[in-house]
Amino acid sequence: DGGITQSPKYLFRKEGQNVTLSCEQNLNHDAMYWYRQDPGQGLRLIYYSQIVNDFQKGDIAEGYSVSREKKESFPLTVTSAQKNPTAFYLCASSDGQAWGDTIYFGEGSWLTVV
Amino acid sequence: QKEVEQNSGPLSVPEGAIASLNCTYSDRGSQSFFWYRQYSGKSPELIMFIYSNGDKEDGRFTAQLNKASQYVSLLIRDSQPSDSATYLCAVGTASKLTFGTGTRLQVTL
């Protein structure tokens, strides 16, 4: 089945550790995104990539890093510089059309700092 | 800063009634508008998108767009308990999508 797969679903991070969230899509979409969702807040864009080997910062990129070495993969690293990383992380993709582009989400990953 | 505003709710409607969810946005140049449904602890799923002024119907759902007044709404007819969720309004293009904080809908028996 086509879709977006995120792993792990639940992740616990100790203070000072870097962690990486995986995102893989088999929809043949050009564009991929990472969002963060906190309780009572809307989704906020962390990073996005419209093509392989290229990505742009979103609204809250500080403390995060990404790579886009393959079209189907867009991993997110939450670094120790991110002071409040506990949140629900959502990976998404779209076909990248200039008009009528629609974002579809993976199932999400819960990150908790312990 | 571009903003998308939604009433957080909860909006409570009886089963079988029409639920009306509203969203206003600040960027007058916005072209694309989306409604997502999000169940508690789950990721958002796309319900509808609309680009032109007027109404767009899909089954029990109708999206309404009024660019002059800068609002977009979602009507859910014959509301069912399974419609109980948070509904997110999103405005803009895919790489510049701004989400509202969502309206929580409760459909009561």
Side-chain angles (χ1 to χ4, degrees), chain A residues 2-20:
Chain A
I4 304 168
T5 302
Q6 289 186 238
S7 63
K9 189 170 180 65
Y10 301 97
L11 185 61
F12 297 90
R13 191 195 91 169
K14 293 182 179 179
E15 295 280 354
Q17 277 186 338
N18 293 352
V19 293
T20 297

Side-chain angles (χ1 to χ4, degrees), chain A residues 38-49:
Chain A
D38 295 278
Q41 295 194 35
L43 279 69
R44 293 183 289 169
L45 182 64
I46 304 172
Y47 268 98
Y48 66 100
S49 168

Side-chain angles (χ1 to χ4, degrees), chain A:
Chain A
D1 288 349
I4 304 168
T5 302
Q6 289 186 238
S7 63
K9 189 170 180 65
Y10 301 97
L11 185 61
F12 297 90
R13 191 195 91 169
K14 293 182 179 179
E15 295 280 354
Q17 277 186 338
N18 293 352
V19 293
T20 297
L21 306 180
S22 170
C23 178
E24 304 277 333
Q25 55 98 0
N26 61 5
L27 300 169
N28 200 33
H29 282 172
D30 287 319
M32 297 186 73
Y33 313 82
W34 275 105
Y35 286 88
R36 168 180 172 148
Q37 187 175 35
D38 295 278
Q41 295 194 35
L43 279 69
R44 293 183 289 169
L45 182 64
I46 304 172
Y47 268 98
Y48 66 100
S49 168
Q50 295 179 305
I51 195 170
V52 174
N53 292 323
D54 188 44
F55 49 82
Q56 286 76 42
K57 293 181 179 180
D59 300 321
I60 56 166
E62 184 175 353
Y64 300 97
S65 65
V66 294
S67 63
R68 186 84 187 277
E69 297 177 359
K70 298 186 296 182
K71 184 176 182 178
E72 57 270 22
S73 178
F74 192 41
L76 173 75
T77 296
V78 184
T79 75
S80 56
Q82 171 51 240
K83 297 308 179 187
N84 185 23
T86 295
F88 188 41
Y89 290 86
L90 289 158
C91 179
S93 70
S94 69
D95 61 16
Q97 295 179 19
W99 179 252
D101 203 7
T102 302
I103 284 182
Y104 297 93
F105 290 92
E107 294 188 346
S109 294
W110 292 91
L111 174 62
T112 303
V113 173
V114 297

